[in-house]
Amino acid sequence: MKRIALFPGSFDPFTAGHLNILKRALTMFDSVVVAVGVNQDKRGFYDNDTRVEIIKQAVKGLEGVSVIKYDGLTIDVCRELGIKHVVRGVRNMLDFETERSIADANRRLAPEIETIIIPTAQEFAHISSSAVRDILRHHGDTSLFVPEGVKLPPYDE
């Protein structure tokens, strides 16, 4: 039986830290579905189609990765796709507390789906999508913060 995980997020944009978590998840699962979702608490910087294209650039050449977009509950996507594991990355304790709360809620709604929380490697812990967006807004160089080969579209005011 193939072990598949869902790696959901807004990925606005996908960073080197996200790629680190994805690659580490691939050591535990046969395949990982990166699921670009809508976060109602965040105003989107890039539209979902652009986010999907950025991720496809980042994962080019990686075996076992697919990219989808979705709207709705993560557990519903898991059930639709027959996925039993959700992968989430954390950079610090604040992220961990947030992700643990989400995992607890998901477990109550869908006890058959387990969340795996992976701490990011230390060299990526300072990278956030928010920081990358701020650099983009000020026309700075994001190359140290996004996966190699990824070209982020410029920020249009």
Side-chain angles (χ1 to χ4, degrees):
M1 186 160 136
K2 200 169 181 189
R3 294 182 328 160
I4 304 170
L6 189 80
F7 182 23
S10 55
F11 304 116
D12 192 20
F14 194 80
T15 68
H18 293 128
L19 184 60
N20 173 258
I21 297 299
L22 174 60
K23 285 180 175 179
R24 291 169 56 212
L26 285 167
T27 69
M28 295 178 257
F29 297 95
D30 299 312
S31 64
V32 177
V33 178
V34 180
V36 178
V38 175
N39 184 330
Q40 302 301 330
D41 295 332
K42 296 180 183 177
R43 192 182 120 247
F45 190 80
Y46 290 122
D47 64 45
N48 279 4
D49 290 330
T50 301
R51 294 178 209 184
V52 166
E53 288 308 312
I54 291 167
I55 296 167
K56 285 181 178 178
Q57 287 178 41
V59 303
K60 188 174 182 177
L62 270 183
E63 295 290 323
V65 178
S66 57
V67 185
I68 64 169
K69 57 185 176 179
Y70 76 101
D71 189 8
L73 294 177
T74 300
I75 57 169
D76 290 340
V77 174
C78 286
R79 285 176 171 154
E80 285 173 28
L81 299 175
I83 294 174
K84 300 292 183 194
H85 295 91
V86 173
V87 168
R88 298 294 297 167
V90 296
R91 294 170 293 140
N92 53 44
M93 287 307 292
L94 183 61
D95 284 356
F96 177 78
E97 289 300 326
T98 300
E99 293 301 334
R100 187 176 69 172
S101 294
I102 294 168
D104 288 344
N106 285 343
R107 189 176 309 105
R108 302 261 307 170
L109 295 170
E112 75 279 11
I113 298 170
E114 190 62 58
T115 299
I116 310 298
I117 296 176
I118 302 174
T120 191
Q122 188 60 40
E123 63 266 29
F124 302 108
H126 67 285
I127 300 173
S128 69
S129 292
S130 300
V132 173
R133 289 191 305 267
D134 195 45
I135 293 167
L136 283 166
R137 281 187 190 98
H138 295 91
H139 310 290
D141 179 8
T142 60
S143 63
L144 294 174
F145 307 102
V146 298
E148 188 175 328
V150 169
K151 301 290 184 223
L152 295 177
Y155 174 68
D156 292 327
E157 296 185 58

